[in-house]
Amino acid sequence: MTPQQVVSFAKENGAQMVDFKFMDFVGIWQHFSVPISEFDEDTFEDGVGFDGSSIRGWQPIHASDMIIVPDPATAKMDPFIAVPTLSLICNIFDPITKEGYTRDPRNIAKKAEAYLKSLGIGDTAYFGPEAEFFIFDDVRFDSTSNQSFYVVDSAEGIWNSGREEFPNLGYKPRHKEGYFPVSPTDSQNDLRNEMVLELQNVGIRVECQHHEVATGGQAEIDMRFSPLVDMADQLQWFKYVIKNVANRNGKTVTFMPKPLYGDNGSGMHTHVSIWKDGVNLFAGDGYGGLSKMALYYIGGIIKHASALSAICNPTTNSYKRLVPGFEAPVNMAYSSRNRSAALRIPMFSTNPKSKRVEFRTPDPSCNGYLAFAAILMAGIDGIENKIDPGQPLDKDIYGLSPEELATIPSAPGSLEEALNALKADHEFLLKGDVFTPDVIEKWIEYKTEAEVNPVRMRPVPMEFALYYDI
């Protein structure tokens, strides 16, 4: 839509408020609203001022003024606000230079798309993330100087098989057996269907929904692939819709990668392909039906996998999922069909349009704009430098001997390790001014000071079980 069309769209839908949404540096949607009387076509040119110093990882207080400018192509009616409200996703600009703000994740994603086109490699990078999540009935947590605890609960949790529920009817998925029984064992089908309908109402094309492997309400709803920036926009709507549908049904949703011990965590397998003039450049006559370009792309991902983890697996909790020998793909190998490899070539169809590379290491705690941009930049580096990904691995990696595993690169074992890898390997991200040095420096600084150090310094309950009687 054009600005004029957006103004007409708002009037046609009786909008009384306008909600400006934007992505903070860490990966959480922020917003503020104005009355419709304060909104017109000039808003798309002049923007609206706000305090950038109050946003994590952004401006210092002595240079706090920033400008938010809505993107007219993102206009939708928000389905969860009682007053009819027009919703717009926005870009962030410096009020002095009038340039896009370097630490605005959406700006970084836009620059990644532009960089791909400028190289002539392709004109579109399609992304298709599979963001898994848990639906819980209750969550409680706290951490103070003398105590720390968390409790999550779900009527579906196998731990409640002996609970007095007056009556307890059973039908609770056992650990690792949630993929995918029918109701009544799957008790959340209606809730997921409601989520699908709301996703469709905001223009997101959904391919399927199902229960996932873990007990306790793990779920997956798959979106149709889309170009990089649009897909990152959709991922934010996806999280917003799913959390709000759950909330109005008295449930709570988390995209935290590993909320349960002893069962599968939530990943975000990310499918990628590069196209030009309507042709899928990843289709070819090589291994798995891939082109040389696609194989070089894989080579770039493998080369930069440790640095990518700092952006694609950006929480300390991410590395509770990424543990060698368990369900998460930590080994940087590629294979067709093989789900134990970090990079998989799906073989559901022989149609060249369906050829893509699936990167299975990322998780849904990531900032989609930054993660998709970083994945694309690593792949572009592989294509430009013709990085050989080596031989495919067509056997169960989890069953390999220690000698065989020693030759396969592995994902970092902690967020600190990943951040150190990013510090040492980020030149590929700086090409085309996509990521800038201040972004990398602030990301490492913020993650270290706000997350790594506080987690590292706190005792955890398991340590009391292990060591209190020493």
Side-chain angles (χ1 to χ4, degrees), residues 270-285:
T270 302
H271 300 253
V272 188
S273 59
I274 294 176
W275 293 55
K276 188 173 185 179
D277 298 328
V279 177
N280 183 2
L281 302 182
F282 274 18
D285 56 6

Side-chain angles (χ1 to χ4, degrees), residues 154-219:
S154 167
E156 275 199 357
I158 189 62
W159 56 83
N160 283 323
S161 60
R163 184 173 67 177
E164 292 186 357
E165 296 179 348
F166 308 104
N168 186 326
L169 300 177
Y171 299 116
K172 302 180 190 301
R174 288 176 284 271
H175 286 293
K176 298 183 181 293
E177 294 187 21
Y179 188 90
F180 21 58
V182 298
S183 59
T185 303
D186 177 5
S187 68
Q188 297 175 340
N189 191 61
D190 288 338
L191 181 59
R192 293 195 306 273
N193 282 341
E194 185 179 336
M195 292 171 176
V196 169
L197 295 179
E198 287 291 9
L199 288 167
Q200 291 176 323
N201 284 341
V202 296
I204 294 176
R205 183 173 173 183
V206 176
E207 294 186 327
C208 72
Q209 62 88 352
H210 59 83
H211 202 289
E212 256 298 340
V213 173
T215 189
Q218 192 181 31

Side-chain angles (χ1 to χ4, degrees), residues 71 113 282:
D71 183 342
E113 282 192 324
F282 274 18

